[in-house]
């Protein structure tokens, strides 16, 4: 149970990870989960009343250290993001690998990077990819006091602008994989020194 992939119908995984939570003699398998791979298809919000099972699963994983939000693969099924999403508590989270999804981001919660970062005070490694649209831009400042490594992969100027508003006092390394334009990071360099 150390590494879980949340995809497809997640009810069986949810039951398995909750096993033992009602009894004192059997520990929950969720205590061993350290890494979760969460595609956007599993955190869609097509109706206002339906709780997101994936968020319920993450709420039981109190020792989760790594959260991966991969890019959406081109499938026949297109995720639907219409209503607000919940966000789990992530106190042990140390690493996030996030591929930004604009339609998902507008629902907030687990689908919005800024909401997840606010609940991850112990984050040390952050990998970001994707293009952010203007409506996903957050004017508030994010403070990541323990972040040491920031990796950027193919982000656009709007995403760089978002990063330049954050406070990253412990940042020691920036890893740049691919950029759409050679001057896209100028704002970030000016901000971070």
């Amino acid at each position: 149970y150390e590494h879980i992939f949340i995809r497809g119908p997640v009810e069986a995984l949810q039951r398995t990870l909750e096993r033992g939570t009602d009894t004192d003699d059997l520990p929950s398998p969720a205590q061993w989960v350290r890494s979760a791979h969460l595609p956007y298809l599993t955190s869609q919000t097509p109706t206002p009343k339906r709780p997101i099972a994936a968020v319920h699963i993450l709420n039981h994983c109190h020792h989760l250290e790594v959260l991966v939000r991969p890019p959406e693969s081109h499938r026949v099924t297109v995720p639907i993001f219409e209503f607000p999403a919940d966000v789990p508590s992530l106190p042990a989270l140390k690493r996030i690998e996030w591929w930004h999804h604009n339609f998902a981001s507008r629902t907030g919660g687990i689908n919005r990077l800024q909401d997840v970062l606010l609940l991850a005070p112990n984050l040390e490694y952050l990998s970001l990819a994707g293009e952010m649209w203007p409506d996903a831009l957050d004017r508030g400042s994010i403070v990541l006091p323990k972040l040491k490594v920031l990796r950027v992969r193919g982000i656009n100027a709007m995403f760089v602008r978002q990063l330049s508003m954050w406070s990253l006092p412990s940042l020691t390394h920036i890893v740049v994989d691919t950029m759409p334009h050679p001057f896209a990071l100028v704002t970030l360099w000016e901000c971070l020194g």
Side-chain angles (χ1 to χ4, degrees):
Y1 299 106
E2 189 170 320
H3 306 288
I4 61 171
F5 290 81
I6 304 172
R7 60 178 164 226
V10 297
E11 290 75 21
L13 177 61
Q14 185 175 345
R15 282 191 306 274
T16 300
L17 292 177
E18 290 176 355
R19 189 179 67 226
T21 56
D22 295 333
T23 62
D24 294 329
D25 59 341
L26 186 63
S28 167
Q31 73 176 338
W32 294 301
V33 175
R34 296 295 181 267
S35 170
H37 193 269
L38 181 66
Y40 283 100
L41 193 61
T42 60
S43 64
Q44 59 183 327
T45 57
T47 65
K49 304 269 183 196
R50 184 177 164 243
I52 301 173
V55 172
H56 192 69
I57 289 171
L58 294 178
N59 274 326
H60 284 76
C61 302
H62 302 293
H63 303 289
L64 185 70
E65 296 178 358
V66 178
L67 176 63
V68 177
R69 299 301 313 257
E72 268 308 307
S73 58
H74 300 289
R75 296 181 179 175
V76 176
T77 306
V78 177
I80 301 169
F81 301 100
E82 295 296 330
F83 299 96
D86 296 328
V87 64
S89 176
L90 304 165
L93 203 62
K94 293 182 180 177
R95 179 183 185 123
I96 295 176
E97 295 185 21
W98 192 277
W99 191 280
H100 182 73
H101 190 297
N102 286 293
F103 293 115
S105 179
R106 66 189 178 143
T107 65
I110 192 64
N111 294 325
R112 187 168 184 262
L113 175 63
Q114 295 90 330
D115 291 351
V116 172
L117 293 177
L118 289 172
L119 296 175
N122 296 310
L123 195 65
E124 296 178 7
Y125 180 96
L126 177 61
S127 177
L128 301 172
E131 294 189 357
M132 183 176 282
W133 295 347
D135 61 343
L137 191 64
D138 186 9
R139 302 284 180 219
S141 179
I142 299 288
V143 178
L144 300 173
K146 297 183 180 181
L147 188 73
K148 295 175 184 168
V149 178
L150 174 64
R151 178 180 178 200
V152 292
R153 300 179 293 162
I155 63 175
N156 63 350
M158 191 62 61
F159 216 140
V160 171
R161 183 173 178 204
Q162 180 70 76
L163 289 174
S164 67
M165 292 187 261
W166 294 356
S167 174
L168 312 171
S170 299
L171 188 68
T172 57
H173 293 80
I174 297 178
V175 180
V176 179
D177 284 356
T178 57
M179 294 304 299
H181 191 277
F183 298 110
L185 288 178
V186 170
T187 306
L188 194 58
W189 299 149
E190 290 173 352
C191 212
L192 299 176

